[in-house]
Amino acid sequence: MDNINIVEWIGYIGSVIIAISLTMSSIIRLRWLNLLGASIFSTYGFIIGSMPVAFLNMFITMINIFYLVKMYSAKDFFKILQIKRIENRYLQFFLDYYAKDINKFFPGFCEKYLNQSFNNDELLCLLIIRNANVAGLFIGKKISDDEMQVEIDFATPEYRDFKTGRYIYRQNINFFEEMGIKKLITHSKNKAHLRYLNKMGFYEQKNQHTEKILVKQLVSQNNS
């Protein structure tokens, strides 16, 4: 492969990464990929001597850096809203709107909800509010005095940067402790969701099922 072909490949790679970045639903992922693609394409512009291409993409790179710094340094406001009734109309709308995405991570959950296979007294149903927007949904079912099974822990595509999960499982542990919950149990077959659970402190429990059973022991910062 000669030098000309290598240079062309640099341009192709930069272009493809920029194109892929535009398909991201997460703004942070979009910014990171766009930053990488623009940096590569700017390098390509300098190599071939095209200053308009080089400086335009350098400018795009700096814009991405500016907004990434701004996003990572910004303080988000979180709040939990507890839904007392499983028949809540907004909850129904939320599940209908995100049904396809929810079923990727929690197969059959929406059908289970529609069939009313829940008992209101058994469930903890929470909407996670982030900067006045609904960022996620958590529904847990108490299966013993100190154990809760996570039925769904869903973050909307715009807020899949782990901050919502950290708020539930790290910063808000006292919410569960006040209910006497010491252990959370969940299961999943989805690789992306399993990675998320591992980051949130869940560990795999040995079992004979095809689905992986994961457990998180709740320890508040006051006791750690």
Side-chain angles (χ1 to χ4, degrees), residues 89-122:
R89 289 185 178 181
Y90 180 79
L91 177 59
Q92 176 69 68
F93 170 78
F94 184 94
L95 292 174
D96 287 343
Y97 187 83
Y98 290 108
K100 186 176 179 180
D101 204 22
I102 288 172
N103 282 325
K104 286 195 303 185
F105 298 99
F106 306 94
F109 177 85
C110 293
E111 290 79 4
K112 187 177 180 181
Y113 171 82
L114 289 173
N115 293 331
Q116 295 295 311
S117 303
F118 292 116
N119 185 322
N120 284 345
D121 297 331
E122 298 175 342

Side-chain angles (χ1 to χ4, degrees), residues 66-187:
F66 171 79
Y67 279 106
L68 281 168
V69 170
K70 187 176 180 180
M71 282 188 281
Y72 279 111
S73 60
K75 290 185 178 180
D76 290 303
F77 173 79
F78 285 94
K79 187 175 179 62
I80 283 178
L81 293 182
Q82 185 171 356
I83 297 177
K84 297 293 186 180
R85 291 177 57 82
I86 199 67
E87 299 87 358
N88 181 279
R89 289 185 178 181
Y90 180 79
L91 177 59
Q92 176 69 68
F93 170 78
F94 184 94
L95 292 174
D96 287 343
Y97 187 83
Y98 290 108
K100 186 176 179 180
D101 204 22
I102 288 172
N103 282 325
K104 286 195 303 185
F105 298 99
F106 306 94
F109 177 85
C110 293
E111 290 79 4
K112 187 177 180 181
Y113 171 82
L114 289 173
N115 293 331
Q116 295 295 311
S117 303
F118 292 116
N119 185 322
N120 284 345
D121 297 331
E122 298 175 342
L123 293 181
L124 172 66
C125 185
L126 308 172
L127 288 176
I128 314 303
I129 308 300
R130 181 171 169 183
N131 301 330
N133 298 309
V134 177
L137 171 67
F138 176 96
I139 296 179
K141 180 179 180 181
K142 202 167 183 179
I143 56 177
S144 72
D145 289 340
D146 61 355
E147 294 182 336
M148 176 170 283
Q149 179 172 305
V150 180
E151 296 285 343
I152 183 172
D153 167 22
F154 175 79
T156 59
E158 298 83 359
Y159 292 106
R160 287 182 188 155
D161 56 1
F162 300 111
K163 286 186 179 181
T164 303
R166 284 195 290 267
Y167 176 71
I168 299 172
Y169 295 122
R170 296 181 186 175
Q171 301 170 24
N172 213 48
I173 287 179
N174 290 337
F175 187 89
F176 296 103
E177 289 184 334
E178 289 172 1
M179 299 176 61
I181 302 299
K182 297 180 180 179
K183 181 190 290 186
L184 295 174
I185 301 170
T186 189
H187 54 84

Side-chain angles (χ1 to χ4, degrees), residues 50-75:
S50 177
M51 294 303 105
V53 171
F55 285 113
L56 173 61
N57 282 277
M58 182 183 291
F59 178 67
I60 293 172
T61 298
M62 290 188 292
I63 289 175
N64 282 313
I65 291 172
F66 171 79
Y67 279 106
L68 281 168
V69 170
K70 187 176 180 180
M71 282 188 281
Y72 279 111
S73 60
K75 290 185 178 180

